[in-house]
Amino acid sequence: MNAKAIAGLISLALIFFVGASSLYIVSEREQALVVQFGEPKRTVPEPGLHFKLPIVEQVIFIDKRILSLDIRPQEVLASDQRRILVDSFARYKVVDPLKRYQAAATDRIASDLLEGIMVSTVRDVLASEPMQNIVSGQRANLMGQISELTNQRAASIGLEVVDVRLKRVDLPPQNSQAIFQRMQTERQQEAAEKRAEGKRDAVKITSDADRQEAVLIANAERQSQIIRGEADGRAVKIFAEAFGKDEDFFEFYRTMQAYKAALGSDDTRLILSPDSEFFKLFVNSKGEKNN
């Protein structure tokens, strides 16, 4: 192969190398920043095939998707001087590649900077609220405040926070145990008070029941005595009226009742004189015994 052919091959290789090094592709998931010897020249937000100066210009690709940042748990002192443990995370994206590159050359450095901003913002916002607002329905409003303040501070590094969430808001372990013990003691005291109230009510109810029982029994006995007295009175009256209408029959009836009471049993034995008044009905008018 002669020198002219070799020179032609070298020229073709140089042309291919220069052409290849002047082309680059930006995908839909990325945005590009063109720098010359480390100095930013332009940003390329649109995907597709693009050109640059070979050798002297370099392309830095930056993700433009929404990224996640898990923030380390931190203790925060609420406005009511109660310590709480906050675990949060954020979702963010790069909105200004140039600022992001100037503030942080790599994604790792950028996420560390954003985490520092988030930690400071979470502490500032939650420190102005009492613990009750942080753990209750005010949490959505607080997350909105954290997101707004974080975006104001993160704009200088080309980042935008699209969502902030408080995953867990809890008391530190040592405080949780103390609060649990206090709650347990309070519940035990409340239970003791309820039992004492129950015993007091039971004694009161039992006393009322005993009193009502005594009153009912007394009233019933009084009523029964009244009824018995009225019945006895009516019986005496009936006997008196019957005696007044037929004295002989009444005497006969009473004598028969006396015989029945005295001689009712088969083993009864009476020893009386024949002229005893008790057996006067067994003796006729002539003094002879009736068969």
Side-chain angles (χ1 to χ4, degrees):
M1 182 180 295
N2 55 26
K4 181 182 284 189
I6 294 174
L9 290 175
I10 293 174
S11 298
L12 288 174
L14 289 174
I15 293 173
F16 177 79
F17 174 76
V18 171
S21 61
S22 64
L23 299 175
Y24 63 95
I25 298 175
V26 179
S27 69
E28 294 82 359
R29 301 185 300 272
E30 298 172 327
Q31 49 192 336
L33 177 65
V34 179
V35 298
Q36 182 176 350
F37 302 116
E39 182 182 353
K41 289 298 182 180
R42 62 186 179 277
T43 59
V44 183
E46 298 298 328
L49 182 63
H50 300 274
F51 298 90
K52 67 179 182 65
L53 295 177
I55 302 175
V56 295
E57 290 184 342
Q58 294 81 38
V59 180
I60 298 174
F61 296 99
I62 299 175
D63 203 329
K64 67 178 181 180
R65 294 175 296 181
I66 294 178
L67 306 174
S68 296
L69 175 63
D70 196 4
I71 304 166
R72 62 184 181 274
Q74 59 174 322
E75 280 194 13
V76 177
L77 186 64
S79 62
D80 53 2
Q81 304 303 309
R82 302 182 68 177
R83 292 188 176 275
I84 53 177
L85 186 64
V86 181
D87 190 4
S88 58
F89 75 92
R91 298 187 182 277
Y92 70 98
K93 62 181 179 179
V94 179
V95 294
D96 192 330
L98 178 58
K99 288 184 177 179
R100 211 259 18 211
Y101 175 76
Q102 291 173 338
T106 64
D107 294 336
R108 180 61 183 176
I109 297 176
S111 63
D112 290 343
L113 290 175
L114 182 60
E115 183 177 9
I117 293 174
M118 285 290 302
V119 168
S120 175
T121 303
V122 169
R123 183 181 295 109
D124 292 344
V125 173
L126 299 186
S128 62
E129 297 289 337
M131 180 180 174
Q132 183 178 358
N133 291 349
I134 298 174
V135 301
S136 65
Q138 298 290 332
R139 185 178 297 187
N141 183 37
L142 295 176
M143 289 188 294
Q145 295 181 31
I146 294 172
S147 179
E148 181 179 358
L149 185 57
T150 301
N151 279 327
Q152 294 176 4
R153 297 176 177 179
S156 61
I157 58 175
L159 303 181
E160 178 185 355
V161 174
V162 297
D163 190 22
V164 174
R165 297 292 173 181
L166 301 179
K167 294 190 296 184
R168 183 170 62 94
V169 178
D170 201 357
L171 295 171
Q174 62 274 17
N175 294 357
S176 298
Q177 185 63 26
I179 291 177
F180 174 77
Q181 292 178 354
R182 187 178 73 247
M183 292 175 62
Q184 187 178 29
T185 302
E186 291 175 354
R187 295 300 180 270
Q188 290 174 349
Q189 292 176 350
E190 184 177 357
E193 292 176 358
K194 295 296 183 183
R195 292 190 185 97
E197 291 176 359
K199 291 180 179 179
R200 182 194 62 196
D201 293 342
V203 171
K204 182 179 178 181
I205 293 172
T206 303
S207 300
D208 291 342
D210 292 341
R211 180 180 57 80
Q212 293 178 11
E213 179 185 12
V215 171
L216 289 174
I217 292 175
N219 291 336
E221 289 180 351
R222 180 175 60 83
Q223 190 68 21
S224 66
Q225 293 293 336
I226 293 173
I227 294 173
R228 288 192 188 98
E230 293 176 353
D232 291 341
R234 293 183 62 183
V236 171
K237 182 179 179 181
I238 292 172
F239 275 119
E241 291 176 354
F243 180 79
K245 290 181 180 180
D246 191 342
E247 295 181 2
D248 294 336
F249 175 78
F250 185 77
E251 183 180 1
F252 173 78
Y253 175 77
R254 293 300 297 267
T255 303
M256 289 296 103
Q257 291 294 108
Y259 288 164
K260 180 178 180 181
L263 305 174
S265 301
D266 295 339
D267 57 350
T268 302
R269 297 291 186 271
L270 292 176
I271 301 175
L272 299 171
S273 63
D275 58 349
S276 173
E277 184 68 19
F278 187 72
F279 288 110
K280 65 181 180 179
L281 293 180
F282 291 95
V283 181
N284 56 24
S285 59
K286 296 179 178 181
E288 298 176 351
K289 187 176 182 179
N290 295 327
N291 294 329

